Amino acid sequence: MARFTLPRDVYHGKGSLEELKNIQGTRAIVVVGGGSMKRFGFLDKAVCLLQEAGMEVKLFEGVEPDPSVETVMKGAEVMKEFQPDVIVAMGGGSPIDAAKAMWAFYEYPETTFEDLIIPFNFPTLRQKAKFVAIPSTSGTATEVTAFSVITNYQTGVKYPLADFNITPDVAIVDPVIAETMPPKLVAHTGMDALTHAIEAYVSTLNCAFTDPLAIKAIEMVFDYLPDSYDGNMEAREQMHYAQCLAGMAFSNALLGIVHSMAHKTGAAFSTGHIPHGCANAIYLPYVIKYNAKDKTAEKRYAQIAKSLNLTGTTDKALVDALIDKINAYNVRLNIPKTLQEFGVNEDEFKEKVSKIAELAVGDACTGSNPRPITPAEMEKLLTCTYYGTPVTF
């Protein structure tokens, strides 16, 4: 038996933020990030709409990119004091992910972070509050997923939390909010969405419910991402929907080792944080080459290539055409081809790659990857992504 879970309601289209005035509750806490939602007026509008719904509203501001365990615990304390019955998370993936974890600690103060990093080990939520998610970026799709990524900066490790309990109750996918993204963020989040959809399609847990969502998302990303990057707002709107479809697919089919690698390298190097979508974009072509040694995975990648009208007389040729197309998009979007090109120090990479490989193999996303991988193979794969060498094993 398999399970397919989505938010109860997904409101989409320009102006769908207005739906907040119909949310029922008495006290709402709004969790936001570093200030873009306030700068562009969306936070004030959300607060007014919640007040129009008859709610007392409290803000929790300043969630950092790649939210920390400390921020999560701080937010949970504020929730415990305020006792909201509605949690509204607004912004990029970071405030929404952080709010999901806060939600668990608010409802179950005795829970530990160590409890939550065990996949599908959350206590039953919605005892005190329901959850509304409003994304401002077009990539993470955390507004429709059962996932949250929280970083322990003391160890430099990102932990993907996974449980259907943290799938939001309501998602508001308003493309007007995504119009404010700068081009680099459009590129990174767009390639994150593409990675979600491709990994979901080849995952060992893919099914008849997730495949159509994944394929449609892939087609839409390839159709609309370059124009969205160039500032076309009609394309930006379609990308906002494409990433949401990708999220619906991967929340149920799960992911693979592109994400395992991105999770374990994002905060690992002193030369600078690697944005999650950028890391995914770098790793994706190498991982496809590795996974395609598995015949079932090769056939699935070939099906993706066919859906994009790529040409090739064999499955291998179609896979190579897909890799070439992804590489071309990375060039078009000014995304580095390797970790070395990104700026990761070579000596530090060599020093840390063995431990990173071990952690990546242990990541929650590795289990649904179509081809098994050992720490030694992961180290070789990461080394290919550093130097840009071909994946031949």
Side-chain angles (χ1 to χ4, degrees):
M1 184 182 76
R3 178 174 175 176
F4 186 84
T5 300
L6 296 176
R8 179 180 175 125
D9 294 300
V10 178
Y11 297 97
H12 57 93
K14 291 184 177 181
S16 52
L17 184 64
E18 292 281 334
E19 186 55 33
L20 282 178
K21 68 186 178 190
N22 297 320
I23 300 292
Q24 294 186 338
T26 57
R27 283 184 300 280
I29 187 165
V30 182
V31 180
V32 291
S36 64
M37 292 298 92
K38 180 180 279 188
R39 271 196 316 278
F40 294 112
F42 296 118
L43 179 57
D44 285 347
K45 185 172 184 182
V47 169
C48 288
L49 289 165
L50 290 166
Q51 289 172 337
E52 193 178 331
M55 282 186 265
E56 181 185 349
V57 181
K58 186 173 186 64
L59 300 182
F60 183 88
E61 301 178 76
V63 175
E64 71 273 40
D66 298 307
S68 65
V69 177
E70 289 76 14
T71 295
V72 166
M73 301 315 290
K74 190 173 161 189
E77 281 301 318
V78 172
M79 289 182 186
K80 279 184 258 182
E81 288 170 17
F82 183 61
Q83 291 289 306
D85 52 4
V86 177
I87 299 167
V88 178
M90 186 176 193
S94 298
I96 299 175
D97 279 5
K100 286 179 175 181
M102 292 172 192
W103 187 18
F105 290 114
Y106 163 49
E107 296 207 354
Y108 294 90
E110 70 284 1
T111 294
T112 67
F113 189 68
E114 288 67 33
D115 292 332
L116 300 187
I117 63 176
I118 300 168
F120 301 96
N121 191 50
F122 272 64
T124 301
L125 297 179
R126 296 165 181 81
Q127 308 305 301
K128 295 181 180 178
K130 60 184 175 184
F131 196 99
V132 180
I134 309 166
S136 65
T137 60
S138 302
T140 70
T142 188
E143 74 276 6
V144 293
T145 75
F147 299 98
S148 162
V149 180
I150 306 298
T151 301
N152 182 335
Y153 284 95
Q154 293 174 343
T155 61
V157 175
K158 288 186 176 184
Y159 292 98
L161 311 182
D163 198 286
F164 289 116
N165 266 289
I166 55 172
T167 304
D169 299 285
V170 176
I172 296 176
V173 187
D174 190 333
V176 174
I177 302 174
E179 290 179 358
T180 59
M181 286 192 295
K184 183 179 278 193
L185 188 59
V186 171
H188 292 172
T189 55
M191 293 305 289
D192 189 20
L194 180 65
T195 305
H196 288 155
I198 290 176
E199 290 210 294
Y201 194 76
V202 302
S203 160
T204 56
L205 296 174
N206 73 76
C207 69
F209 292 89
T210 59
D211 282 354
L213 294 164
I215 283 289
K216 182 62 176 176
I218 292 165
E219 292 171 354
M220 290 177 74
V221 171
F222 279 119
D223 282 345
Y224 295 110
L225 181 53
D227 286 345
S228 177
Y229 179 71
D230 291 340
N232 180 307
M233 291 306 159
E234 289 181 14
R236 187 75 54 89
E237 177 177 0
Q238 295 304 313
M239 276 300 303
H240 208 44
Y241 304 149
Q243 65 87 30
C244 188
L245 295 177
M248 292 176 181
F250 91 78
S251 185
N252 292 280
L254 306 188
L255 293 163
I257 60 172
V258 177
H259 273 77
S260 303
M261 295 160 71
H263 290 152
K264 299 313 187 247
T265 53
F269 300 110
S270 62
T271 42
H273 168 251
I274 308 170
H276 178 69
C278 180
N280 281 339
I282 293 171
Y283 300 147
L284 182 59
Y286 300 93
V287 169
I288 290 175
K289 197 73 177 173
Y290 173 82
N291 282 343
K293 300 282 186 186
D294 175 276
K295 286 298 175 187
T296 301
E298 182 184 54
K299 189 168 289 298
R300 301 285 290 179
Y301 288 127
Q303 288 168 352
I304 292 172
K306 287 175 184 173
S307 78
L308 299 170
N309 297 315
L310 303 180
T311 56
T313 54
T314 64
D315 283 349
K316 181 182 182 302
L318 284 163
V319 173
D320 288 342
L322 177 62
I323 291 170
D324 288 344
K325 190 170 180 73
I326 293 166
N327 282 328
Y329 267 58
N330 281 344
V331 171
R332 171 79 166 78
L333 301 168
N334 293 303
I335 290 170
K337 183 175 174 58
T338 65
L339 288 178
Q340 189 172 44
E341 191 183 326
F342 179 83
V344 174
N345 177 273
E346 185 175 14
D347 289 338
E348 187 181 11
F349 175 80
K350 287 179 176 177
E351 177 193 336
K352 293 183 174 178
V353 65
S354 178
K355 183 61 177 176
I356 290 170
E358 187 182 323
L359 290 169
V361 170
D363 187 89
C365 293
T366 301
S368 45
N369 193 67
R371 183 184 171 195
I373 192 164
T374 65
E377 288 168 333
M378 179 64 81
E379 185 171 342
K380 285 168 69 176
L381 185 57
L382 283 162
T383 301
C384 290
T385 71
Y386 186 84
Y387 295 104
T389 49
V391 178
T392 57
F393 55 96

